[in-house]
Amino acid sequence: MTTPSHLEYVNPPELGKPSGFSHAVSGVGRQVFLAGQTALGPEGVIVGDTVVEQFETALTSLLVALRAAGGGPEHLASLTIYIVDMDDYKANAREIGRVWKRLIGANYPAMAGIGVSRLWDQEALVEVQGHAVVPA
C-alpha cells in the first residue's frame, strides 16, 4: 500500500491485521466531510439493480464530490457504508473489492459497514459517506 504523505494508517498489532480497512487514520490538512451518496442518478432515480452496480455508482458520486472539493481518493481518511442486505453485500464482497481497487486503489481508510433496514430512497441498496483530509 502506498501511503499518501499527509496520512498515517495506524494498525496496532493488538487489534489484528485488518483486511479492506485501516483501524485508524490520522492526517494533517484541510478536512472535507462528504455527504452520504447512493446510486441516485442525474434523473433523480436509483440506477443499478445489484449491490455491486449501486456501490460503484455511489462510490463514484462520493469521489466526484471529493474532487470538486479539491481532493482525490488517496485523501479518504474514513468511510462508512450503509448496507440494506448484509448477506448480499458479503456474497458480492470480491466484486465490490474489485470496484474499490479500480476507483480508489490499494489504500484503505478507517471504515465501518453498518446494516440498515432501508435508506432514504427505498430502491437504494447501499450508501457511502466519508471524511477526507486534503493537504493544505
Side-chain angles (χ1 to χ4, degrees):
M1 169 181 355
T2 303
T3 304
S5 60
H6 70 291
L7 293 178
E8 177 186 3
Y9 298 100
V10 182
N11 293 300
E14 300 88 354
L15 297 179
K17 183 177 176 169
S19 177
F21 70 97
S22 293
H23 287 293
V25 178
S26 65
V28 176
R30 186 171 50 86
Q31 306 293 306
V32 178
F33 298 92
L34 300 157
Q37 299 292 326
T38 63
L40 195 65
E43 299 80 25
V45 296
I46 296 295
V47 296
D49 295 323
T50 70
V51 69
V52 175
E53 293 168 330
Q54 288 197 19
F55 178 80
E56 182 170 0
T57 300
L59 188 58
T60 297
S61 294
L62 183 105
L63 294 173
V64 167
L66 178 54
R67 283 187 188 95
E74 69 277 13
H75 301 126
L76 279 174
S78 177
L79 189 76
T80 302
I81 306 168
Y82 300 96
I83 304 159
V84 173
D85 184 340
M86 192 64 76
D87 291 334
D88 184 36
Y89 188 92
K90 285 180 171 184
N92 288 285
R94 286 189 190 270
E95 200 170 343
I96 288 168
R98 284 192 285 276
V99 169
W100 179 273
K101 287 194 181 200
R102 186 167 32 81
L103 296 178
I104 305 276
N107 293 322
Y108 295 101
M111 294 177 66
I114 299 171
V116 296
S117 61
R118 70 160 281 191
L119 296 164
W120 184 265
D121 292 297
Q122 190 168 348
E123 304 81 15
L125 302 174
V126 65
E127 181 169 345
V128 293
Q129 177 184 16
H131 172 222
V133 180
V134 179

